[in-house]
């Protein structure tokens, strides 16, 4: 690894740099986020020369590394011009981009990626690097969707399903405090069944009451831990949970979701709902692993 040394920090922001328009948008977002946090911004470029070494000449490897270094330097220069107070660290790795991002993030950093990288197929709505990072996330991952200069909605949206999403609610609260905007906790209850099917379900009223209790419990907990924050709690019915959340993302600066897995799906944090949001949301999406910093504690 070639770059400026820096000590690990609990709030570092790490972003992938590959020269593509989505990656440039992600860098812009990540720099603004790091500036809000007062943390270090890590720019990471994976040259991937290790895996390609058997197929490349020595000159090609040197050229690839040089191009990566020049891209990092240009990006750092542009960020510093816009955020002169920000500490920017550049890291060039010979391995894969996803591995470099995870390494730079260490145990507690936030990884930021664009919704699509260089190459690949147009139908792949989430780039391969973003997919790898999100599927195996152990620290927060933000997939930046929308434009680099979005119209501010003035709210952070956190999608919650049950009390295990307390880490997601906390992360949303921290992001809302940084932006000095309210937090909206949103619980979507699927209404995809027919009226006859719903009537046949036992304890239907109990499920609605339980959902209300869960939402109330989470909102009260967040208000206690973040007393200066305005918190709105909202429960809705929707025929499609991902569809309802995508619609809600129209009116949010950031959508925060908890990572969980559907059995046998893409990875320990990426299920069908979260994948749909990473592919189709209208604002940046922050994925919070259920088993990670912030879950089960108030720190």
């Amino acid at each position: 690894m070639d770059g400026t040394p820096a000590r690990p920090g609990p709030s570092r922001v790490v972003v992938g740099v590959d020269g593509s328009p989505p990656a440039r948008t992600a860098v812009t977002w990540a720099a603004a986020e790091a500036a809000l946090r007062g943390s270090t911004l890590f720019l990471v470029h994976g040259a991937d020369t290790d895996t390609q070494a058997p197929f490349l000449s020595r000159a090609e490897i040197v050229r690839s590394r040089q191009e990566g270094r020049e891209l990092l330097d240009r990006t750092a220069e542009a960020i510093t011009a816009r955020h002169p107070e920000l500490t920017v660290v550049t890291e060039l790795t010979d391995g894969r981009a996803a591995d470099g991002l995870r390494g730079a993030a260490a145990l507690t950093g936030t990884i930021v990626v664009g919704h699509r990288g260089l190459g690949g197929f147009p139908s792949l709505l989430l780039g391969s690097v973003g997919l790898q990072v999100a599927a195996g996330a152990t620290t927060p991952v933000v997939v930046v969707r929308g434009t680099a200069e979005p119209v501010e909605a003035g709210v952070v949206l956190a999608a919650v399903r049950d009390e295990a999403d307390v880490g997601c609610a906390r992360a949303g609260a921290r992001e809302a405090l940084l932006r000095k905007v309210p937090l909206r906790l949103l619980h979507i209850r699927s209404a995809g069944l027919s009226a006859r099917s719903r009537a046949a379900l036992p304890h239907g009223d109990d499920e609605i009451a339980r959902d209300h209790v869960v939402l109330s419990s989470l909102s009260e907990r967040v208000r206690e831990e973040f007393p200066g924050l305005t918190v709105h709690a909202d429960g809705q019915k929707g025929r499609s949970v991902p569809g309802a959340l995508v619609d809600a993302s129209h009116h949010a600066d950031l959508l925060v979701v908890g990572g969980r897995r559907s059995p046998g799906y893409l990875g320990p944090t990426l299920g069908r709902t979260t994948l749909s949001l990473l592919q189709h949301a209208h604002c940046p999406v922050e994925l919070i692993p259920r088993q990670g910093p912030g879950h089960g504690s108030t720190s």
Side-chain angles (χ1 to χ4, degrees):
M1 182 175 291
D2 175 21
T4 307
R7 293 187 301 170
S11 61
R12 60 172 57 183
V13 177
V14 178
V15 61
V17 178
D18 66 13
S20 67
R24 289 196 292 270
T25 300
V27 168
T28 299
W29 190 95
E33 177 76 5
L36 283 173
R37 296 184 184 190
S39 64
T40 299
L41 176 67
F42 281 69
L43 305 177
V44 177
H45 176 76
D48 199 18
T49 52
D50 284 347
T51 55
Q52 297 182 47
F55 314 103
L56 298 176
S57 67
R58 178 60 184 170
E60 289 172 324
I61 292 175
V62 171
R63 183 168 62 251
S64 176
R65 285 180 53 82
Q66 181 62 29
E67 290 173 350
R69 170 51 54 200
E70 291 173 354
L71 174 61
L72 285 170
D73 289 344
R74 289 195 305 271
T75 305
E77 183 178 357
I79 291 300
T80 300
R82 188 165 187 174
H83 300 279
E85 79 290 352
L86 197 60
T87 299
V88 180
V89 174
T90 60
E91 294 193 355
L92 176 67
T93 74
D94 293 328
R96 296 175 179 175
D99 294 335
L101 290 167
R102 293 191 193 103
L107 299 177
T108 58
T110 297
I111 299 175
V112 181
V113 294
H115 72 277
R116 185 182 296 163
L118 290 172
F121 299 95
S123 60
L124 186 61
L125 299 182
L126 181 61
S128 59
V129 173
L131 188 63
Q132 291 172 44
V133 171
T138 57
T139 63
V141 173
V142 178
V143 175
V144 178
R145 302 193 55 80
T147 62
E149 302 292 348
V151 176
E152 293 186 359
V155 66
V156 169
L157 177 66
V160 294
R161 187 178 69 175
D162 52 42
E163 291 190 356
D165 276 324
V166 62
C168 172
R170 284 195 184 106
R174 295 188 190 100
E175 295 287 359
L177 280 176
L178 286 174
R179 291 161 175 76
K180 299 180 180 179
V181 300
L183 170 69
R184 181 188 180 199
L185 299 178
L186 179 59
H187 173 80
I188 304 296
R189 190 169 189 272
S190 177
L193 297 176
S194 67
R196 178 177 297 179
S197 299
R198 289 197 300 273
L201 287 174
H203 311 301
D205 291 341
D206 290 345
E207 289 184 3
I208 294 173
R210 181 199 62 196
D211 290 346
H212 177 74
V213 169
V214 167
L215 192 57
S216 297
S217 174
L218 283 174
S219 60
E220 289 174 6
R221 190 165 180 178
V222 170
R223 289 187 182 102
E224 289 176 359
E225 294 182 21
F226 302 87
L229 179 65
T230 299
V231 181
H232 303 292
D234 187 12
Q236 295 182 0
K237 286 184 179 180
R239 292 190 62 83
S240 162
V241 173
L245 291 173
V246 167
D247 287 344
S249 72
H250 271 293
H251 311 290
D253 297 324
L254 176 68
L255 170 59
V256 184
V257 297
R260 60 179 65 83
R261 177 176 63 189
S262 300
Y265 209 55
L266 292 176
T269 59
L270 199 59
R272 289 176 175 83
T273 295
T274 47
L275 179 59
S276 294
L277 296 175
L278 295 181
Q279 290 178 326
H280 300 294
H282 300 283
C283 68
V285 179
E286 182 169 3
L287 177 65
I288 307 296
R290 277 199 166 185
Q291 302 300 320
H295 288 262
S297 71
T298 58
S299 59

